[in-house]
Amino acid sequence: MLEYSVVANRVDAHGSLARTKDAEITLDTDVKGRVDAFNPAELLLAAVAACMIKGIERIAPVNHFSYRGVEVRLRGLRQDSPPFMAEITYELIIDTDEDDRKLELMHHNVRKYGTIFNTVSAATRLEGTIRRREK
């Protein structure tokens, strides 16, 4: 089994820092919010996006899938009581000339083999589409 570790510390009433390896992320932990950092909900969405993009990086060479770029657009809906991410939707946009069959196969594999994708989809509704970037 793989193991991951992150250490997060409060800096002040306006934010915190999370560290792993040689990287750090400023966290929006200010009750009033801040525009220069990801809040917890945005971090969750970013983790789903990173998982999908990393999956494409891993799957593309195996399936001989050629592409020039990837964009993931996500939207999360939070219910208030109890606080819960009720739904996450995404649009996966790939800059590729591959045919529709290979594009759908990529979507299938991203959903099937993504660690974060599978974890989040087990806890909340996670749905989306894949499409080719328009030229």
Side-chain angles (χ1 to χ4, degrees), residues 120-134:
V120 172
S121 68
T124 195
R125 193 163 127 210
L126 176 56
E127 297 178 344
T129 59
I130 190 170
R131 72 174 171 89
R132 189 175 294 100
R133 177 170 302 285
E134 297 172 9

Side-chain angles (χ1 to χ4, degrees), residues 20-131:
T20 188
K21 302 173 282 202
D22 290 332
E24 69 179 31
I25 298 174
T26 300
L27 306 175
D28 173 9
T29 53
D30 188 323
V31 175
K32 294 180 183 177
R34 54 188 283 184
V35 298
D36 65 336
F38 284 72
N39 68 35
E42 294 160 342
L43 280 168
L44 177 67
L45 297 178
V48 172
C51 178
M52 295 173 80
I53 295 169
K54 189 166 188 168
I56 290 168
E57 296 288 346
R58 191 178 320 113
I59 295 161
V62 174
N63 289 350
H64 306 288
F65 186 93
S66 176
Y67 65 102
R68 292 172 290 279
V70 178
E71 179 179 343
V72 186
R73 299 177 183 176
L74 296 108
R75 181 173 170 260
L77 289 177
R78 178 188 178 271
Q79 85 179 23
D80 283 336
S81 184
F84 179 76
M85 192 63 77
E87 173 183 295
I88 297 172
T89 56
Y90 66 85
E91 183 179 22
L92 179 55
I93 305 162
I94 303 182
D95 187 3
T96 184
D97 296 322
E98 297 290 358
D99 63 32
D100 289 346
R101 181 188 62 77
K102 285 185 89 171
L103 195 62
E104 283 305 320
L105 179 60
M106 177 60 77
H107 194 206
H108 170 79
N109 286 327
V110 163
R111 289 180 300 202
K112 184 174 182 179
Y113 297 110
T115 301
I116 303 306
F117 191 98
N118 288 333
T119 301
V120 172
S121 68
T124 195
R125 193 163 127 210
L126 176 56
E127 297 178 344
T129 59
I130 190 170
R131 72 174 171 89

